[in-house]
């Protein structure tokens, strides 16, 4: 009986819908793992062939034929065993399955039993659940096959153990959110302690629309210790030896354990990956964005440069009569610090012409948000013009706090193709800016220190319209991420009237959020896939 099994975890960035390309990556990675690492078995992420999540592509007949062709391609691998995720079509049913392929044959197929249908997940729309345990022999080692959520409940692992499994193999497409790795490892620890078996866990990496997959694949011993952890946000293939030690069972050998990233480092890494993959997977030559001299656009510019390189980023400063010299100076300084193309385009003549055109329509009415919004929409025309002419995608620079309460202009500063910091609260934006400067100053300190302002009227400050951000963000988190009521939030020490006003603003501005571009999801609940409030809504607090 063979005493050791070398398992490689292939932490890959795959493209949804590119079945032929994904199958080729699986085949090439498997062969390389055999040649370079001496691996006996290589694990690939959940739904590797289709990419995750494939959504309604699954219903297309042509997609089904491509999946069948892609799986046949993977079966060409002869000298190493492969565990690969794929959508399995069986009559009218579709399963989220994992195939263990050895010697060109499917030695076992496991159908995911636990289908998540919460937060960003909608798997019950597409898949039928599996019911049977799947245990297969790989060079004398009895391996229990599991897919992602199968380890979040005890039954699947227990059934695998009862069927003779000596170790658990888990393939995953687990999206990033802050502190998610701690949760994954806690769940895995509960399973291995329950069944007394070690576990190998491979996770997808890369960006898919608003979802980010952070990798962080790991191996855990039967006593719950992490003996190998792969880097976050980085592709790679990582090998670990599982050794049979007599009555001690199968024991994974220690490898490199990457340290857990700080909150700021992990969020910033997710934002960079999100921008990089969204732009590159869509084939854009680069991005264009407005640079105002404020903190949000400053952070967005730093993220864009780190994701794409300075030569693919174009920053545009568009002053009006209300733009301060401080903003002009700080925007120019940051563009120079990062080495990006920088344009200075005044909107004053456009603003004047628009006001003149609307003079009779506005007659007898005092200046208000209408004039402020016109400025924002003038800027949008310039940015979209550059985007259309150059092919560069427009990045939107708004944060979650603004998006929540509607402190943003529809068809103005909300316009764009992708919103990197859409799920970052204002206070998190400040923390991320300080974190990024810790690796070398790219944001002028005055941008971080000055009171935030949209600069759409004389001496304007965000605090004129909103509670202090440290108060606003805490209320928003309680409501959006925890679903707390006014009474419960007030009990945390917040003024009831302020809480009520904030919650009313959130509900009133749902129509804006429905028209906002996608953005990177980093919190437990972001506006997008896991926020489904009705626009027309008679509910009152």
């Amino acid at each position: 009986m063979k005493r050791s099994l070398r398992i490689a975890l292939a932490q890959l960035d795959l493209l949804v819908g590119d079945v032929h390309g994904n199958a080729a990556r699986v085949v090439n990675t498997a062969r390389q793992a055999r040649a370079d690492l001496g691996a006996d078995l290589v694990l690939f992420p959940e739904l590797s062939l289709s990419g995750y999540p494939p959504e309604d592509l699954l219903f297309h007949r042509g997609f089904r034929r491509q999946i069948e062709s892609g799986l046949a391609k993977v079966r060409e691998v002869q000298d190493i065993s492969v565990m690969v995720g794929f959508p399995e079509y069986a009559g009218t049913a579709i399963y989220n399955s994992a195939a263990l392929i050895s010697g060109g044959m499917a030695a076992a197929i496991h159908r995911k039993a636990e289908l998540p249908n919460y937060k960003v997940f909608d798997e019950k729309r597409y898949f039928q659940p599996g019911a049977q345990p799947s245990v297969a022999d790989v060079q004398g080692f009895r391996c229990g096959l599991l897919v992602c959520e199968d380890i979040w409940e005890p039954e699947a692992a227990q059934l695998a153990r009862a069927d003779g499994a000596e170790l658990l193999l888990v393939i995953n497409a687990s999206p990033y959110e802050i502190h998610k790795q701690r949760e994954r490892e806690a769940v895995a620890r509960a399973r291995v302690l329950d069944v007394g078996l070690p576990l190998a866990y491979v996770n997808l990496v890369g960006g898919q629309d608003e979802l980010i997959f952070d990798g962080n694949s790991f191996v855990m011993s039967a006593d719950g210790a992490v003996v190998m952890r792969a880097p976050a946000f980085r592709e790679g293939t990582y090998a670990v030896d599982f050794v049979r030690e007599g009555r001690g069972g199968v024991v994974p050998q220690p490898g490199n354990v990457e340290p857990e990233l700080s909150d700021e480092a992990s969020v910033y890494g997710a934002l960079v990956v999100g921008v990089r993959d969204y732009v590159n997977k869509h084939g854009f030559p680069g991005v264009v964005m407005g640079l105002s001299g404020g903190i949000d656009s400053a952070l967005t510019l730093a993220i864009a440069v780190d994701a794409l390189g300075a030569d693919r980023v174009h920053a545009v400063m568009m002053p009006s009569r209300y733009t301060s010299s401080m903003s002009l100076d700080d925007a120019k300084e940051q563009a120079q610090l990062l080495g990006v193309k920088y344009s200075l385009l005044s909107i004053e003549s456009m603003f004047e012409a628009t006001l003149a055109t609307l003079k009779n329509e506005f007659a007898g009415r005092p200046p208000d948000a209408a004039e402020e919004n016109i400025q924002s929409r003038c800027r949008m025309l310039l940015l979209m013009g550059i985007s259309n002419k150059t092919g560069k995608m427009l990045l939107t620079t708004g944060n979650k706090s603004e998006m929540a309460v509607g402190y943003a202009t529809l068809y103005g500063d909300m316009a764009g193709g992708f919103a990197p910091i859409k799920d970052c609260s204002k206070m998190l934006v400040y923390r991320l800016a300080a974190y990024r400067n810790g690796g070398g100053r790219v944001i002028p300190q005055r941008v971080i220190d000055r009171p935030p302002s949209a600069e759409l009227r004389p001496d304007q400050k965000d605090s004129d319209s909103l509670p202090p951000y440290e108060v606003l963000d805490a209320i928003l988190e309680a409501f959006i991420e925890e679903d707390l009521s006014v009474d419960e939030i007030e009990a945390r020490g917040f003024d009831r009237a302020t809480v009520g006003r904030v919650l009313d603003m959130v509900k009133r501005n749902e129509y804006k959020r429905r028209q906002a571009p996608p953005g990177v999801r980093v919190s437990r609940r972001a506006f997008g896939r896991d926020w489904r409030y009705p626009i027309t809504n008679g509910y009152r607090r």
Side-chain angles (χ1 to χ4, degrees):
M1 182 179 291
K2 195 170 186 292
R3 291 194 65 252
S4 68
L5 181 72
R6 178 163 291 184
I7 298 178
L9 309 184
Q11 184 169 285
L12 299 184
D13 186 347
L14 301 166
L15 177 58
V16 165
D18 183 17
V19 179
H20 297 312
N22 294 340
R25 296 268 339 253
V26 167
V27 170
N28 293 338
T29 301
R31 288 172 174 163
Q32 190 171 6
R34 181 61 181 170
D36 296 348
L37 302 175
D40 302 303
L41 167 66
V42 57
L43 309 185
F44 291 92
E46 180 180 6
L47 293 180
S48 303
L49 295 187
S50 62
Y52 190 95
E55 299 184 295
D56 284 9
L57 284 174
L58 290 165
F59 298 142
H60 197 273
R61 292 180 183 177
F63 194 68
R64 174 174 183 167
R65 288 195 294 270
Q66 288 193 18
I67 292 295
E68 292 166 351
S69 174
L71 195 60
K73 180 74 174 176
V74 176
R75 286 199 296 268
E76 294 176 7
V77 177
Q78 296 288 329
D79 57 350
I80 184 172
S81 296
V82 170
M83 182 175 172
V84 62
F86 73 106
E88 178 191 358
Y89 294 87
T92 59
I94 310 174
Y95 297 92
N96 183 340
S97 295
L100 180 65
I101 297 172
S102 294
M105 303 292 292
I109 292 179
H110 174 71
R111 294 170 171 174
K112 185 176 182 178
E114 301 292 338
L115 300 178
N117 224 63
Y118 58 91
K119 290 190 175 182
V120 301
F121 303 107
D122 200 14
E123 290 200 16
K124 291 182 180 179
R125 172 179 171 85
Y126 304 105
F127 301 115
Q128 296 294 316
Q132 301 301 317
S134 302
V135 179
D137 186 278
V138 181
Q139 298 194 14
F141 285 74
R142 296 285 288 168
C143 302
L145 314 184
L146 302 171
V147 178
C148 205
E149 241 78 6
D150 286 346
I151 67 166
W152 290 67
E153 299 294 336
E155 184 178 13
Q158 291 172 350
L159 289 172
R161 172 61 189 262
D163 203 30
E166 298 176 281
L167 68 153
L168 303 177
L169 310 178
V170 192
I171 64 171
N172 301 265
S174 177
Y176 171 82
E177 62 185 53
I178 196 165
H179 301 151
K180 186 63 176 287
Q181 185 66 10
R182 300 176 193 175
E183 186 178 6
R184 293 183 193 124
E185 292 182 8
V187 168
R189 186 168 293 109
R191 292 291 77 76
V192 302
L193 293 176
D194 179 39
V195 297
L197 300 178
L199 172 150
Y201 181 112
V202 67
N203 193 28
L204 187 65
V205 70
Q208 171 60 30
D209 297 342
E210 64 265 52
L211 298 182
I212 305 301
F213 300 92
D214 53 309
N216 273 311
S217 304
F218 62 92
V219 172
M220 187 172 284
S221 62
D223 62 1
V226 174
V227 298
M228 190 284 288
R229 184 187 296 123
F233 308 115
R234 191 190 311 166
E235 283 193 296
T237 305
Y238 307 92
V240 173
D241 288 322
F242 285 74
V243 177
R244 180 177 286 110
E245 296 185 348
R247 294 183 180 180
V250 174
V251 178
Q253 301 305 291
N256 183 58
V257 180
E258 286 285 329
E260 184 179 357
L261 297 176
S262 68
D263 291 353
E264 291 79 13
S266 71
V267 171
Y268 194 85
L271 300 177
V272 169
V273 168
V275 172
R276 183 199 68 203
D277 272 14
Y278 196 85
V279 172
N280 290 343
K281 289 179 179 180
H282 283 272
F284 290 107
V287 296
V288 61
M289 56 166 286
L291 186 62
S292 68
I295 187 69
D296 297 321
S297 64
L299 178 63
T300 303
L301 182 62
I303 292 165
V305 170
D306 288 341
L308 305 171
D311 59 325
R312 298 178 66 192
V313 180
H314 182 184
V316 186
M317 173 47 142
M318 297 162 287
S320 75
R321 66 189 67 175
Y322 304 120
T323 303
S324 68
S325 58
M326 181 189 303
S327 295
L328 285 163
D329 294 343
D330 290 345
K332 182 178 181 180
E333 181 186 356
Q334 188 184 10
Q336 291 173 337
L337 285 169
L338 287 167
V340 301
K341 180 179 179 180
Y342 177 68
S343 299
L344 180 64
L345 306 175
S346 173
I347 65 165
E348 190 60 30
S349 60
M350 299 173 66
F351 185 37
E352 284 281 9
T354 306
L355 292 179
T357 301
L358 292 168
K359 181 178 180 180
N360 292 336
E361 304 299 326
F362 286 6
R365 300 174 183 268
D368 57 14
E371 285 81 3
E372 296 182 19
N373 290 339
I374 287 170
Q375 295 171 68
S376 183
R377 290 172 182 141
C378 286
R379 294 185 171 109
M380 178 273 296
L381 288 174
L382 296 178
L383 291 169
M384 284 306 303
I386 295 171
S387 174
N388 293 160
K389 185 62 69 175
T390 64
K392 293 181 177 179
M393 188 188 69
L394 174 58
L395 288 182
T396 308
T397 61
N399 63 62
K400 187 175 189 177
S401 305
E402 296 171 349
M403 199 71 67
V405 298
Y407 196 64
T409 303
L410 196 60
Y411 321 124
D413 57 315
M414 288 178 64
F418 197 68
I421 61 172
K422 178 182 179 180
D423 195 33
C424 297
S425 68
K426 189 73 169 187
M427 298 306 294
L428 178 57
V429 167
Y430 280 108
R431 288 164 53 198
L432 292 173
Y435 163 77
R436 180 59 185 87
N437 269 3
R441 190 176 73 93
V442 296
I443 300 173
Q445 188 61 40
R446 191 165 59 178
V447 173
I448 298 174
D449 294 338
R450 65 186 293 197
S453 170
E455 293 192 324
L456 296 172
R457 62 175 183 264
D459 301 318
Q460 184 182 27
K461 299 289 186 294
D462 289 6
S463 56
D464 298 339
S465 305
L466 302 173
Y469 278 113
E470 56 268 26
V471 174
L472 176 64
D473 286 350
I475 293 172
L476 291 174
E477 181 176 351
F479 176 55
I480 296 167
E481 299 186 29
E482 300 180 64
D483 285 314
L484 299 188
S485 67
V486 172
D487 291 341
E488 291 170 314
I489 300 174
E490 181 188 17
R492 292 186 172 182
F494 296 101
D495 173 68
R496 184 178 185 86
T498 300
V499 173
R501 182 165 69 94
V502 169
L503 268 56
D504 283 346
M505 285 191 288
V506 174
K507 296 169 188 174
R508 191 165 61 244
N509 285 284
E510 180 63 25
Y511 78 100
K512 284 188 179 182
R513 292 188 291 272
R514 292 286 184 94
Q515 300 179 70
V520 180
R521 177 185 183 271
V522 297
S523 72
R524 290 174 293 174
R525 194 179 193 188
F527 295 128
R529 296 175 66 95
D530 51 346
W531 175 270
R532 303 183 187 184
Y533 265 66
I535 297 173
T536 306
N537 178 2
Y539 175 72
R540 296 291 178 265
R541 60 182 173 81

